[in-house]
Amino acid sequence: MNKKQTRKNKTYRQNRLYSDLLRSALRVILFIGVLCFMLLGVFKLTYMGLSNFSYFSLADVYVKDHFVLTGQDALDFSGLRKGCSLFSINLKGVSENIKRNHPEYEEVIVRRVLPSRIDVIIKERKAVFQIKLSKFYPIDKNGFIIPYARDTAYPVLPIIIGIEPREAELNRFSGSPRIKKALELISMINERGFSWRKNVSKINLTSLEDVSLYLNNGLEIKFGSGPYLEKMTRLEQVLMEIKNRSLEPAFVDLRFKDVIIAPR
C-alpha cells in the first residue's frame, strides 16, 4: 500500500472517530435534556398536588423577636390568611412586605414549618448612638433613625449633641453630615478598641470644625477638626497619665501640638 493510500485511510478513520464522538455527545445532551424536562414535570405536578392538599394548609403563624406573636395577631402582622396552601406562599414576598411596613427591622426571615406553620424571625436594628429631639431616639450603624422613643436617655448609648429635627426623619436613613460624622467617630472608637470607648457619654457635633467628646465622669475632650484617629491615640496616653498622677482636670484639649490638661 503506498503512502498516499495510507494517509487517506488514516484521515478516514479520524473523521469516522470524530463523527462517532459527536453523535455520542449529542445523545448524552438529548438524554440529559429529556431527563431534566421529566424531572421538572414531576416537580411541578408534585408542587401542584401539595398546593391542593389540605394537610398543608396554613394553620398558624409564629413571629419571634424580643416578643412573640401567635394567633390572629401573627396573621395580621405577616399579612397571611389562615387556610391558604403553605406551598403557595411567597416567602420572599412576605419578608419584603413586613420590611416595607416595619423598616425598623434590619432582617426578616420567613420559613415554612411543615405541615401547617409559617415562622417569621425578626432581627431588629442595633443602635450605636442616640440623639435627643423632643425625646431620645436610637440610630443604627447605617444612620437609620429607629422610631423607639424614650423620655429618658438609653443607657450605655452615647448621645450626639447638635442634631436638628430636620436632619432626623424617623424610620428613614439620614444623610445628615452630622450623623455621618457621628457614625465615623463611633466606628473609629469601637474598631480601634480604645480603653475609654465604653465611657463615652456624649459627642458634641454642633460645629463639625470643633468636635468635642465627654466621658462618663464629665471630662470634656476637645478634638477640634481632626485628624481624629491620631488624637484618639494620644488621648489613650493622656488618660493613662491623668490616672497615674491622680488628676481631676476640667478638660483635655487635643487641638494643638501640645496637649493641654486644664485643672478644675
Side-chain angles (χ1 to χ4, degrees), residues 18-233:
Y18 293 151
S19 179
D20 291 343
L21 289 173
L22 180 60
R23 280 196 293 270
S24 298
L26 289 173
R27 290 193 192 100
V28 171
I29 293 171
L30 181 61
F31 174 77
I32 292 174
V34 171
L35 182 61
C36 290
F37 182 78
M38 292 175 64
L39 290 173
L40 182 63
V42 170
F43 175 79
K44 187 172 182 179
L45 289 172
T46 303
Y47 180 83
M48 290 174 62
L50 291 174
S51 298
N52 295 318
F53 190 17
S54 61
Y55 181 68
F56 294 106
S57 296
L58 179 63
D60 297 294
V61 175
Y62 179 87
V63 180
K64 183 179 180 182
D65 184 18
H66 61 274
F67 58 84
V68 174
L69 289 180
T70 56
Q72 190 59 46
D73 289 337
L75 286 166
D76 293 341
F77 181 87
S78 63
L80 296 172
R81 58 180 179 80
K82 218 170 187 178
C84 67
S85 168
L86 210 66
F87 292 95
S88 68
I89 295 173
N90 182 342
L91 302 183
K92 184 178 180 181
V94 173
S95 172
E96 290 175 348
N97 184 59
I98 293 174
K99 289 184 72 173
R100 191 161 43 248
N101 294 329
H102 299 275
E104 67 272 21
Y105 300 141
E106 183 174 15
E107 188 175 0
V108 178
I109 300 171
V110 183
R111 299 171 177 160
R112 294 185 185 91
V113 181
L114 300 178
S116 58
R117 195 179 85 205
I118 288 291
D119 281 359
V120 179
I121 312 299
I122 292 170
K123 178 184 175 183
E124 293 197 342
R125 298 181 184 277
K126 185 177 180 181
V128 293
F129 62 82
Q130 60 187 313
I131 59 174
K132 187 178 187 305
L133 303 175
S134 57
K135 296 185 178 183
F136 291 91
Y137 290 90
I139 298 180
D140 80 348
K141 63 183 179 181
N142 298 311
F144 186 90
I145 318 295
I146 304 171
Y148 296 155
R150 282 174 56 123
D151 293 323
T152 57
Y154 284 83
V156 181
L157 291 178
I159 302 171
I160 305 301
I161 301 171
I163 306 297
E164 300 291 338
R166 58 184 172 77
E167 299 177 86
E169 186 178 354
L170 301 186
N171 256 351
R172 295 288 186 276
F173 292 98
S174 174
S176 159
R178 288 187 177 85
I179 289 181
K180 287 182 178 180
K181 178 61 69 176
L183 290 170
E184 176 190 342
L185 295 173
I186 292 293
S187 176
M188 199 178 293
I189 292 169
N190 291 332
E191 286 178 3
R192 293 288 172 168
F194 293 112
S195 61
W196 45 268
R197 68 187 184 281
K198 294 183 179 179
N199 294 322
V200 178
S201 63
K202 299 177 183 178
I203 299 178
N204 190 341
L205 295 178
T206 302
S207 169
L208 294 178
E209 299 303 316
D210 192 17
V211 175
S212 58
L213 176 151
Y214 295 82
L215 301 183
N216 290 330
N217 61 4
L219 179 61
E220 180 184 5
I221 315 296
K222 298 178 183 290
F223 281 128
S225 59
Y228 300 109
L229 184 56
E230 178 185 321
K231 292 179 179 180
M232 289 176 184
T233 304

Side-chain angles (χ1 to χ4, degrees), residues 241-257:
E241 181 182 350
I242 290 173
K243 180 179 179 181
N244 291 338
R245 294 170 57 186
S246 299
L247 301 177
E248 293 184 2
F251 65 84
V252 172
D253 196 335
L254 298 171
R255 293 176 295 177
F256 310 103
K257 182 178 179 180

